[in-house]
Amino acid sequence: MENRTYFYLMLFENIGYIRYAFFSLGFVVFCAIVFFNALIILVIFLERTLHHPMYILISCLSVNSVFGTAAFFPRLLTDLLSDTHSVSREACILQAFVIYSYAANENIILMLMAFDRYVAICKPLQYNNIMTPRVLSVLIAISWIYPMICLGIAGILNARLTMCGNKLWKVYCHNWEIVKLSCGNTIANNVFGFFNMTTTLIIPLHFILYSYAKILIICRKSSLDFRRKAYQTCIPHIVILLNFSVALFCEVTLSRFATLELPIGLSIILSLEFLIVPPILNPLVYGLNFPEIRKKILWIIKASK
């Protein structure tokens, strides 16, 4: 079989003039994501009183949001205005690498945030000795480097496959959809894909659940004021975690189980939620919920006027 060098994103075909409405909406959403997350990054970077593990990890979420959406939205907006929707195989594998690195990074950063809350609430006297700047730097580096290595290897495995088709029924390049177009042996891809899912999604999620189980046990034995302060810092993280977990579950379920018969519009919305909703929700939840961040944002707005 010939090795196809281009993929065609079929969901952009025959959408007519409604493409301009989608383009306008997508452009506004992309600008909002970049603006809100850049604002959070700027506030935490400039304000020395926010140079603590919890806030630094919040800024990492914002950096990751910009990283992931930058791989998705520019290509999406170009395809909406273009009459041809082909993408080279190399560019497609690169986009899939960035998008799924973003998803894995997000999950691991959420795990680090749960660990930070666990240490702060369950081991307050040891917090400064455990969450040192050096330890935090190493954990953040691992949260970025490890997923990129895993997804890089997955991209190499995909690149070696012989393609027997070139039509992707997605609005972005998708690792599993690329593998399904192959007519060669995909056992290595499937095994490594399961390994990636286990180490970057399942294990972090179990660790997060363990951390919050410990936090709840401590809170039940503590005073009302202690519980109030603990919940105040944990609830935003839980909201972000639940939203991202549901969005990722929808994407994985739709990509792995093609037998699910859903309207095409609903399928697209569910598969894109993890790329759109968390990057918008994260800065809004943390920016509005934490007084320290909210005050600094208001100060920047007033100063700009």
Side-chain angles (χ1 to χ4, degrees):
M1 295 287 181
E2 66 171 313
N3 213 19
R4 308 298 178 95
T5 57
Y6 282 88
F7 292 113
Y8 293 89
L9 302 173
M10 302 304 295
L11 292 182
F12 290 105
E13 299 291 333
N14 302 319
I15 60 174
Y17 290 108
I18 198 173
R19 72 174 66 186
Y20 300 111
F22 288 148
F23 174 87
S24 300
L25 178 61
F27 182 76
V28 171
V29 170
F30 181 47
C31 290
I33 289 172
V34 172
F35 174 77
F36 289 130
N37 284 285
L39 188 60
I40 292 292
I41 296 167
L42 182 66
V43 165
I44 294 174
F45 177 77
L46 292 178
E47 185 58 48
R48 295 185 63 85
T49 58
L50 299 180
H51 292 182
H52 298 289
M54 179 174 66
Y55 299 110
I56 292 173
L57 289 171
I58 289 172
S59 70
C60 288
L61 273 184
S62 289
V63 170
N64 191 51
S65 294
V66 175
F67 170 72
T69 52
F72 169 67
F73 275 98
R75 176 76 212 185
L76 172 71
L77 298 176
T78 301
D79 281 319
L80 285 170
L81 294 182
S82 176
D83 292 326
T84 60
H85 310 107
S86 62
V87 54
S88 69
R89 187 174 180 185
E90 294 79 9
C92 197
I93 290 174
L94 177 61
Q95 187 190 45
F97 163 76
V98 176
I99 287 176
Y100 286 99
S101 292
Y102 148 77
N105 291 345
E106 187 93 352
N107 212 45
I108 295 177
I109 293 171
L110 289 172
M111 179 186 71
L112 296 182
M113 295 178 77
F115 175 69
D116 175 72
R117 292 300 84 206
Y118 163 75
V119 176
I121 294 171
C122 300
K123 302 178 184 292
L125 299 180
Q126 304 173 45
Y127 182 81
N128 290 329
N129 293 327
I130 295 175
M131 295 301 292
T132 63
R134 183 175 182 180
V135 169
L136 182 64
S137 299
V138 170
L139 291 175
I140 291 173
I142 291 173
S143 75
W144 281 86
I145 294 172
Y146 178 75
M148 288 189 173
I149 291 175
C150 290
L151 273 300
I153 295 173
I156 292 171
L157 291 175
N158 286 350
R160 70 174 180 82
L161 294 174
T162 300
M163 296 291 112
C164 292
N166 58 3
K167 294 181 179 181
L168 293 174
W169 295 93
K170 290 279 185 179
V171 295
Y172 64 93
C173 293
H174 190 287
N175 272 337
W176 181 241
E177 295 296 323
I178 294 173
V179 171
K180 289 195 292 187
L181 291 176
S182 171
C183 49
N185 190 328
T186 62
I187 293 177
N189 300 73
N190 293 330
V191 171
F192 196 73
F194 180 76
F195 172 80
N196 282 349
M197 186 180 297
T198 301
T199 57
T200 61
L201 298 180
I202 297 175
I203 291 177
L205 181 59
H206 278 77
F207 187 85
I208 291 169
L209 294 175
Y210 171 82
S211 298
Y212 276 106
K214 287 288 188 179
I215 289 172
L216 285 174
I217 291 172
I218 292 294
C219 286
R220 288 184 62 185
K221 300 177 182 178
S222 303
S223 66
L224 181 61
D225 186 58
F226 181 91
R227 288 201 300 269
R228 183 182 60 80
K229 292 179 180 178
Y231 295 153
Q232 185 179 8
T233 60
C234 289
I235 287 176
H237 181 260
I238 293 173
V239 170
I240 297 297
L241 173 66
L242 288 175
N243 172 72
F244 184 72
S245 298
V246 170
L248 206 57
F249 174 78
C250 291
E251 197 284 329
V252 171
T253 302
L254 288 171
S255 63
R256 290 282 175 169
F257 301 101
T259 55
L260 292 177
E261 295 184 0
L262 295 175
I264 189 66
L266 179 60
S267 297
I268 293 173
I269 291 172
L270 292 176
S271 67
L272 293 181
E273 188 186 354
F274 83 107
L275 279 165
I276 297 175
V277 178
I280 293 179
L281 188 63
N282 293 359
L284 292 179
V285 167
Y286 287 117
L288 296 175
N289 187 74
F290 286 94
E292 296 84 357
I293 297 178
R294 186 171 63 249
K295 289 176 183 177
K296 189 62 179 178
I297 290 174
L298 293 174
W299 182 86
I300 290 177
I301 294 173
K302 290 179 181 178
S304 66
K305 292 181 179 180

